[in-house]
Amino acid sequence: MEHEYNSLFIGGDWVAPSSSATITVASAATEERLGQVPEAVQADVDAAVAAARRAFDDSSGWAHWEPVRRAEAMERLADALDKRAEQFAQLVSRENGMPLSTSRASEAVIGSAMLRYYAALVRKQGTEEFRPALVGNGTTVVRRDPVGVVAAIVPWNFPQTLTMFKLGPALAAGCTIVLKPAPETALDAFLLAEAVAEAGLPAGVVNIVPADREASNYLVSHPGVNKVAFTGSTATGRVIAEQCGRLLRPVTLELGGKSAAIILDDADLEPSLDAFFDSTMNNNGQTCLIGTRVLAPRSRYQTIVDTLTDYFGALPVGDPLDEATRIGPLVSQRQRERVEGYIAKGRAEGGRITTGGGRPAGLDRGWFVQPTIFADVDNTFTPAREEIFGPVLCILPYDDVDDAVRIANDSEYGLGGTVWSADKDRALDVARRVQTGSIGINGYALDPGAPFGGVKASGLGRELGPEGLAAYQQLKSIYRTA
């Protein structure tokens, strides 16, 4: 069934777009048309920012509501999302190829969980804190005010999850939002708009404008925007950081990764292979934080290569809506060409492919790539240094723990990673030494209550946890004499 939208969601209403431009969304598995949405142009961005601005500046509006009242509205939105949980899971899987088991565990449930988490957090936090002055006998009132209108720009790989990484804390803080979804997954953003309308959020608090790069750049630098929150590639993040730097505009950037999965010499991978898969090839490899550089001790190198080759080579590849599928298609033909280009480059540089390396037989439609493993590579190989964003792993040997840490840190990125060991304390010691924003022990489970983000070229700032809420607040000190 196609999803056809003729209007944009701006100012709490469905409004006619300013142009006839449209975005057609295709199925990653069949290449067939799924639906169509209007493509926002600059005039539509102006209208969305103006609506968000009015909603924020209203002296009795969202920014001035008591936190409890905002929390209640967020919980209504969470209820509306829950009613659509299976729709979100099915739709995202059709859009970007995410296996249904993954979309049900993420796109169907994380959005409402994030809203409820931040609703509970803002209920407890309050707006003002009174501190005794360190000089004199006065008091300082420290206020947490919302930062203002937020431009939230999200990618296609986990569209609903990453949207709520931004909307949850922004709404809790009292901000208003202009959401720019990726064209590849614009349809689920309009399903979100339907939930926002049902929940009765005030007009202009959430506005949704799918757009191309030109309109997105315009949104980032729009004079009516107070903060930018972006998840996407490092290359695009650098451009946004430069724009925001010139404007002295706050920005949160969650960017690319090339994380390390360090297998220590005492690790028994056999019982943990499913967890290893989740932390290295989740969502067909279209996940920024996964450990696509697998570091194996030289003394056990061939055994580990054989174990992982057997496991990944046997993964079911196919229709993302089939619950048995572990590897679905990539999001687009362009993305498949990118991944195949990296595989070709790895071959040319002397990497040994132990499984995969091509397109699966019998899947002539859809943008499929076999799970692929490179062995006999080091950290100078292009596929071991650059983010591929597909089902490709490189297995690198190391000599001792110091060498493993050195290799892990020899990267421009620092977003995720894992350490695998029978001794969790030993693994924790290694994890502390890795230069990254987050890392797991014997698996990776992102905790919404803890800060998430990257170091080096993997980003600026943090999302999730109380730190994620603070990113949408600005502090004001009011000095009162005795």
Side-chain angles (χ1 to χ4, degrees):
M1 183 178 67
E2 291 189 352
H3 303 259
E4 300 295 329
Y5 294 91
N6 299 314
S7 305
L8 295 168
F9 188 71
I10 296 174
D13 201 0
W14 295 97
V15 301
S18 299
S19 81
S20 60
T22 58
I23 294 170
T24 298
V25 181
S27 162
T30 68
E31 305 178 34
E32 296 173 354
R33 174 192 174 105
L34 287 179
Q36 182 175 282
V37 302
E39 180 182 319
V41 296
Q42 288 189 6
D44 301 309
V45 172
D46 285 335
V49 173
R53 186 85 262 159
R54 286 192 300 271
F56 183 79
D57 291 341
D58 182 351
S59 60
S60 60
W62 183 257
H64 300 280
W65 284 14
E66 288 296 316
V68 170
R69 188 180 177 193
R70 285 202 300 270
E72 290 170 348
M74 292 171 64
E75 288 160 353
R76 291 197 304 272
L77 178 55
D79 291 340
L81 294 180
D82 284 341
K83 288 169 56 177
R84 296 164 172 81
E86 184 63 15
Q87 287 178 269
F88 277 116
Q90 296 270 343
L91 184 53
V92 170
S93 288
R94 295 173 75 195
E95 288 175 310
N96 70 6
M98 180 184 293
L100 189 59
S101 59
T102 303
S103 59
R104 282 178 172 159
S106 58
E107 305 305 278
V109 297
I110 289 181
S112 60
M114 294 297 302
L115 289 167
R116 291 194 173 95
Y117 170 77
Y118 280 108
L121 192 61
V122 79
R123 284 177 191 269
K124 295 186 298 184
Q125 184 185 77
T127 303
E128 295 184 342
E129 175 187 344
F130 292 79
R131 300 181 186 177
L134 293 180
V135 178
N137 298 317
T139 302
T140 300
V141 181
V142 179
R143 280 188 58 82
R144 298 180 182 90
D145 290 324
V147 72
V149 174
V150 174
I153 303 173
V154 297
W156 45 258
N157 60 327
F158 285 87
Q160 283 301 305
T161 295
L162 295 171
T163 290
M164 288 305 166
F165 278 21
K166 295 155 184 58
L167 259 64
L171 290 174
C175 298
T176 58
I177 298 105
V178 178
L179 171 66
K180 205 294 291 182
E184 295 87 347
T185 50
L187 298 178
D188 63 271
F190 278 66
L191 186 59
L192 169 62
E194 294 174 8
V196 170
E198 179 183 308
L201 268 63
V205 170
V206 177
N207 309 272
I208 300 178
V209 285
D212 64 9
R213 184 167 298 179
E214 181 180 347
S216 298
N217 289 339
Y218 181 68
L219 173 62
V220 167
S221 59
H222 198 287
V225 167
N226 299 108
K227 175 185 168 67
V228 176
F230 171 77
T231 299
S233 72
T234 294
T236 302
R238 292 185 194 279
V239 174
I240 291 174
E242 186 176 328
Q243 291 173 299
C244 290
R246 287 197 302 269
L247 295 166
L248 297 180
R249 178 167 294 169
V251 61
T252 302
L253 301 171
E254 194 265 282
L255 307 177
K258 192 68 184 178
S259 302
I262 303 174
I263 303 171
L264 298 185
D265 55 11
D266 64 347
D268 181 9
L269 279 187
E270 291 285 354
S272 306
L273 283 171
D274 286 346
F276 192 84
F277 166 83
D278 287 339
S279 65
T280 57
M281 206 177 280
N282 186 33
N283 191 21
N284 316 326
Q286 298 176 137
T287 307
C288 54
L289 55 81
I290 53 176
T292 54
R293 288 185 300 150
V294 178
L295 277 53
R298 199 175 298 275
S299 60
R300 296 182 55 199
Y301 184 77
Q302 191 56 51
T303 298
I304 289 171
V305 168
D306 292 343
T307 297
L308 296 182
T309 296
D310 291 345
Y311 177 84
F312 283 93
L315 291 173
V317 180
D319 181 358
L321 299 183
D322 184 338
E323 295 186 13
T325 293
R326 301 292 298 281
I327 298 290
L330 300 180
V331 69
S332 65
Q333 180 178 343
R334 177 183 176 185
Q335 186 63 20
R336 180 169 67 177
E337 290 172 353
R338 170 186 168 87
V339 172
E340 289 178 332
Y342 274 107
I343 293 173
K345 192 169 293 188
R347 272 198 179 103
E349 292 176 349
R352 175 169 62 95
I353 293 179
T354 65
T355 188
R359 300 179 183 180
L363 293 172
D364 298 327
R365 291 181 64 80
W367 298 298
F368 292 91
V369 173
Q370 294 173 316
T372 300
I373 290 179
F374 275 104
D376 300 338
V377 298
D378 60 36
N379 220 30
T380 66
F381 279 61
T382 301
R385 295 206 69 82
E386 298 183 13
E387 184 177 44
I388 298 174
F389 231 60
V392 181
L393 302 182
C394 294
I395 306 179
L396 291 69
Y398 69 84
D399 295 323
D400 54 24
V401 170
D402 288 342
D403 191 38
V405 171
R406 178 192 63 78
I407 295 170
N409 291 339
D410 180 18
S411 172
E412 67 170 323
Y413 298 107
L415 186 60
T418 50
V419 182
W420 302 81
S421 174
D423 185 338
K424 292 182 180 180
D425 290 334
R426 183 185 180 211
L428 181 59
D429 287 339
V430 174
R432 289 186 175 114
R433 297 172 61 189
V434 179
Q435 297 166 0
T436 186
S438 62
I439 191 165
I441 305 297
N442 294 335
Y444 187 103
L446 195 114
D447 177 11
F452 171 72
V455 300
K456 299 188 281 189
S458 289
L460 295 172
R462 292 294 181 267
E463 296 184 304
L464 305 185
E467 294 82 2
L469 177 59
Y472 294 90
Q473 296 170 324
Q474 53 190 4
L475 299 177
K476 177 193 290 183
S477 295
I478 304 172
Y479 308 115
R480 301 197 308 179
T481 58

